[in-house]
Amino acid sequence: MHFANTASPRSLLSPLRAVPLRAIIPAPVLALALALVLTLSGCAEPTATMEPEAPAELILTNGRIYSFNWPDPSVDGRTGRLEAETAGEWLPDAQAIAFAAGKVLAVGSDAQLSALRGRSTRMVDLDGATVLPGLIDSHTHVFELGSKLERVDLDDAVDEADAVARIVRRAKTTPAGQWIVGQGWDEGAWANNYPTKALLTEAVPDHPVYMRSLHGFAVWGNERALALAGITADTVPPTGGEILRDANGEPTGVLLNRATTLLEDAQPAPSDNDLERQLLLALTQMAEDGYVSVHEAGATARQMAVLEDLEARGELPLRVYSMLSLREPELMERWIKKGPDSDADSMLVTRAIKGYFDGALGSRGARMLADYADKPGHRGISGESYAFDGALAARAMAAGFQLAIHAIGDEGNRATLDFIEAHQRSSQERHRIEHAQVVAGSDMPRFGRLGVVASMQPPHAAEDKTWAEDRLGPERVRGAYAWRSLREQGASITFNADNPGSDHSIFYGLHAAVTRRDKNRQPAEGWYVDEALTLEETILAYTSWSARAAFSERDTGRLAAGMWADVTVLDIDPFAIIKQDPGQLLNGKVLMTVVGGNVVFASNDLQKQL
Ligand SMILES: [Zn+2]
């Protein structure tokens, strides 16, 4: 693969002259390396045979590196990078980056960093690929992602025969007797001709099969699954549920609405081995997708045990910042007694708790200050009636934990801000509101004043736009997904995808955030495009600002000597592409992910050099 270098060698190097090396390698520095680089950067040609005193373990060369080691943009999006503003275009500020002992050793030109090459240094020629600080997904559900990745995917199955063929393929690699789980068949599109257990039972007789529909309102099983669930002609469905039956009263294999639980509850809970396998599967996928760190938004006691076990064995491929589930009182009590983790640079850091204050906007569960525009008399549900345990959350705050509270509606956000204001001791505690999806104008400045981080999802704006205005009406919708307004009112922001609910692709996220368009590039002019952020802000919201939301912005999120050796390499230069056609952002690919100096993912081409 060849990566076109749109900048000429001269223009590529010009920003290096504009930014003195001192600016790229600030304090805190590895003093020895700094002295070495500064000394040698003046040399005409470093001697190839010389062994440096502090050689790099890995050097990436010939890249388009954006170190982001410059001041943050202003709240209206004006860049803080002086030379970008004067030049009127974005160019990389370095070509090469060297790593040693899990940290960045130096960032500079190829010539400068060749001085750090020792006998055992691994060199990778990036061939003009783009390097960003390592991406951080600040709100994800990794175990759910892993279990989703394991399921048979029926998302685009055209008919019953197509779906059964996919299940048969899975059955061939699954021990007999083990459940086969899948999801994605479209209960809306298939409603006039539901599948039955007949073909499925004939094709897959030896495994219980459970296939969830696209929106979860229907499930489809085979004979073996129905037998294990004890569903017969005599079974009475729960209120609000339906068991589809044939002319003889026999269940056909499809259960609707609340009856879906009959089949769901028949499956065994995942074992610890299942959880570990699913976690590793998810983290491996996230590594392939360019992420160096994930913030797990609500770990249970069993999930924490699996995370801790993998950390102890040194087998976590990515950094995990774990939020403990407020819904698990025993887990909470244990951690309140012991206090938050203080070892900020270990692979697993636990110092936050995740609670839910209200429901979601689509299903009208988000708590609103006034009635839903499309359901008069209805304002959603929140607080204690949504099982939010305020007393426990307050005790966790007092014990030093960061709160990360799901709040979607404008009343949900207001009440959560009230709660934080009442219980925090200082605005430096960086409590978070997850989603901050609909915020009343008068509450926006409170984020900045209280130091509350707004943890938001660019994909949600792209996906919810078709119905959000129905729920909210033309006025309130202006305070929804309001990234720019929140920034202007002083909020600190972090971006993520709330995966697996939405696709965590960084290219989808970048595109949604800068254009307010969906994957089909609609609407062409962007949905309430005034709330878009610049590309620079968006990348920061996925890197340094996400690091800040986990108290680690001094260690990661920018590329400078002494920071963690966390980088993401892309085949496109988003800054170059966005000038031509922002839609092209969607076609980007991740080529390499480095975590603490370890290459956790590399494309085939780059892998050959390692
Ligand atoms: Zn979530």
Side-chain angles (χ1 to χ4, degrees), residues 154 258 376 380 415:
L154 301 183
R258 292 216 40 234

Side-chain angles (χ1 to χ4, degrees), residues 139-141 297 354 356 406 435 498-499:
H139 179 131
T140 180
H141 303 270
K354 169 71 187 303
Y356 288 83
H406 164 118
H435 311 300
D498 193 10
N499 138 17

Side-chain angles (χ1 to χ4, degrees), residues 264-304:
E264 196 169 314
D265 295 347
Q267 294 164 61
S271 67
D272 287 350
N273 276 342
D274 292 337
L275 289 177
E276 182 181 305
R277 190 185 63 244
Q278 289 165 355
L279 172 67
L280 286 172
L281 189 65
L283 291 178
T284 305
Q285 183 66 51
M286 296 297 282
E288 279 181 31
D289 297 331
Y291 290 93
V292 300
S293 168
V294 295
H295 298 183
E296 161 56 48
T300 64
R302 289 193 57 208
Q303 292 170 343
M304 275 307 298

Side-chain angles (χ1 to χ4, degrees), residues 48-299:
T49 52
M50 188 178 61
E51 178 73 14
E53 282 183 58
E57 291 160 14
L58 173 67
I59 303 179
L60 310 181
T61 66
N62 192 20
R64 298 172 64 83
I65 299 180
Y66 293 90
S67 72
F68 281 80
N69 197 26
W70 54 75
D72 271 2
S74 58
V75 295
D76 61 0
R78 243 173 328 117
T79 183
R81 187 185 173 197
L82 282 176
E83 66 277 13
E85 207 159 46
T86 47
E89 73 175 308
W90 276 80
L91 291 170
D93 60 335
Q95 287 176 303
I97 183 164
F99 308 116
K103 304 273 178 74
V104 174
L105 190 57
V107 186
S109 69
D110 286 344
Q112 286 164 346
L113 266 59
S114 66
L116 296 172
R117 181 177 186 172
R119 273 181 290 276
S120 57
T121 303
R122 290 185 298 166
M123 303 292 291
V124 173
D125 181 345
L126 295 177
D127 196 17
T130 296
V131 180
L132 299 177
L135 304 172
I136 300 167
D137 189 318
S138 58
H139 179 131
T140 180
H141 303 270
V142 275
F143 290 90
E144 283 178 35
L145 175 65
S147 105
K148 183 182 174 187
L149 290 170
E150 278 194 343
R151 287 179 204 160
V152 179
D153 180 9
L154 301 183
D155 263 2
D156 52 351
V158 291
D159 57 17
E160 182 177 351
D162 180 14
V164 170
R166 294 176 195 207
I167 301 163
V168 166
R169 276 202 295 280
R170 177 60 61 89
K172 284 181 183 153
T173 58
T174 307
Q178 199 170 310
W179 281 79
I180 297 176
V181 179
Q183 70 174 30
W185 61 278
D186 192 332
E187 71 264 57
W190 294 19
N192 291 329
N193 191 16
Y194 279 127
T196 69
K197 66 184 175 185
L199 183 60
L200 190 56
T201 301
E202 190 186 323
V204 187
D206 301 328
H207 305 76
V209 175
Y210 167 87
M211 293 291 134
R212 195 168 175 272
S213 67
L214 187 60
H215 303 290
F217 298 110
V219 296
W220 165 35
N222 66 352
E223 189 64 58
R224 184 126 185 195
L226 295 177
L228 283 171
I231 298 170
T232 65
D234 301 328
T235 305
V236 180
T239 315
E242 188 183 352
I243 300 171
L244 297 190
R245 299 174 195 276
D246 64 16
N248 301 324
E250 279 296 315
T252 67
V254 168
L255 314 175
L256 300 181
N257 300 312
R258 292 216 40 234
T260 55
T261 54
L262 295 177
L263 208 50
E264 196 169 314
D265 295 347
Q267 294 164 61
S271 67
D272 287 350
N273 276 342
D274 292 337
L275 289 177
E276 182 181 305
R277 190 185 63 244
Q278 289 165 355
L279 172 67
L280 286 172
L281 189 65
L283 291 178
T284 305
Q285 183 66 51
M286 296 297 282
E288 279 181 31
D289 297 331
Y291 290 93
V292 300
S293 168
V294 295
H295 298 183
E296 161 56 48

Side-chain angles (χ1 to χ4, degrees), residues 420 424 426-432 445-454 490-492 548:
I420 291 170
Q424 75 177 6
S426 111
S427 59
Q428 306 304 308
E429 293 174 7
R430 299 189 191 177
H431 300 295
R432 303 166 46 153
R446 300 177 69 198
F447 281 81
R449 212 169 55 233
L450 299 174
V452 172
V453 178
S492 118
R548 189 184 176 281

